[in-house]
């Protein structure tokens, strides 16, 4: 499994990537600890083709506002201010441990309204930023959850067979 995108920022504590689909379309943002990245490719046929698809699709290159040098904080703050769903990996678990909408962010922690993969409310959580090893915001998976959440929030229910 690999990730494709545009590297926005890299430092000793984090790498911020604007994610792209294989079709060269916007797919949210990801911030990770650099120690978890094994390889970065550039100037490959795949990279050149992806660049052309970005141009063909006129994919916007938007940057996350830089509130501080801490990219985990910046993406969490962006998600909070724009009411985006996030997926959070904690302590290098290799999976999305927490999914939801951030309701408060400080330099120490995030408070999050938890959601199921179907957009249903699933409680609340507080997570220390120092425990986050990957944070994904506004990818296709998170946008799907947000759509389902908004659908249900407006009193709608899934049809049963």
């Amino acid at each position: 499994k690999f990730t494709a995108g545009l590297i926005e920022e890299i430092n000793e504590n984090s790498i911020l990537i604007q994610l792209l689909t294989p079709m060269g379309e916007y797919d949210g943002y990801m911030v990770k600890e650099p120690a978890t990245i094994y390889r970065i490719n550039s100037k490959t046929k795949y990279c050149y083709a992806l660049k052309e698809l970005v141009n063909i699709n006129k994919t916007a290159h938007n940057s996350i506002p830089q509130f501080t040098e801490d990219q985990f904080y910046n993406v969490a703050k962006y998600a909070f201010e724009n009411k985006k769903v996030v997926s959070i990996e904690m302590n290098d678990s290799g999976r999305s441990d927490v999914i939801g909408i951030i309701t408060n962010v400080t330099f120490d922690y995030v408070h999050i309204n938890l959601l199921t993969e179907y957009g249903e409310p699933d409680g609340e959580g507080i997570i220390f930023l120092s425990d986050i090893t990957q944070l994904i915001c506004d990818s296709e998976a998170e946008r799907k959850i947000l759509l389902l959440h908004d659908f249900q929030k407006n009193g709608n229910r899934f049809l049963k067979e």
Side-chain angles (χ1 to χ4, degrees), residues 51-62:
K51 181 178 179 183
E52 290 307 319
L53 289 167
V54 166
N55 292 334
I56 291 166
N57 290 321
K58 298 178 176 58
T59 302
H61 179 78
N62 300 317

Side-chain angles (χ1 to χ4, degrees), residues 3-140:
T3 299
L6 305 168
I7 296 175
E8 297 282 329
E9 183 73 33
I10 189 166
N11 62 42
E12 62 200 37
N13 300 316
S14 61
I15 183 167
L16 173 61
I17 303 169
Q18 180 181 334
L19 301 172
L20 296 169
T21 69
M23 288 293 296
E25 297 166 334
Y26 167 83
D27 198 26
Y29 295 95
M30 175 175 61
V31 60
K32 289 180 70 82
E33 290 182 334
T36 62
I37 296 175
Y38 301 102
R39 189 169 105 188
I40 296 175
N41 288 347
S42 65
K43 300 180 182 176
T44 65
K45 286 184 181 182
Y46 185 86
C47 292
Y48 287 125
L50 190 60
K51 181 178 179 183
E52 290 307 319
L53 289 167
V54 166
N55 292 334
I56 291 166
N57 290 321
K58 298 178 176 58
T59 302
H61 179 78
N62 300 317
S63 296
I64 292 278
Q66 298 296 298
F67 304 102
T68 177
E69 289 184 15
D70 183 345
Q71 297 305 323
F72 288 99
Y73 174 84
N74 292 339
V75 174
K77 179 93 168 159
Y78 171 81
F80 166 69
E81 289 182 348
N82 294 281
K83 297 176 177 46
K84 304 285 187 185
V85 169
V86 297
S87 295
I88 297 173
E89 173 194 86
M90 298 172 57
N91 301 314
D92 294 318
S93 69
R95 64 175 202 262
S96 294
D97 298 295
V98 177
I99 300 170
I101 299 172
I102 295 174
T103 58
N104 190 23
V105 59
T106 73
F107 290 111
D108 296 318
Y109 69 88
V110 295
H111 182 270
I112 189 165
N113 283 343
L114 304 171
L115 298 172
T116 69
E117 65 182 303
Y118 302 108
E120 302 160 315
D122 196 27
E124 299 177 10
I126 295 175
I127 302 155
F128 289 104
L129 281 175
S130 60
D131 291 333
I132 299 174
T133 49
Q134 177 176 284
L135 193 155
I136 298 175
C137 168
D138 203 33
S139 78
E140 183 178 78

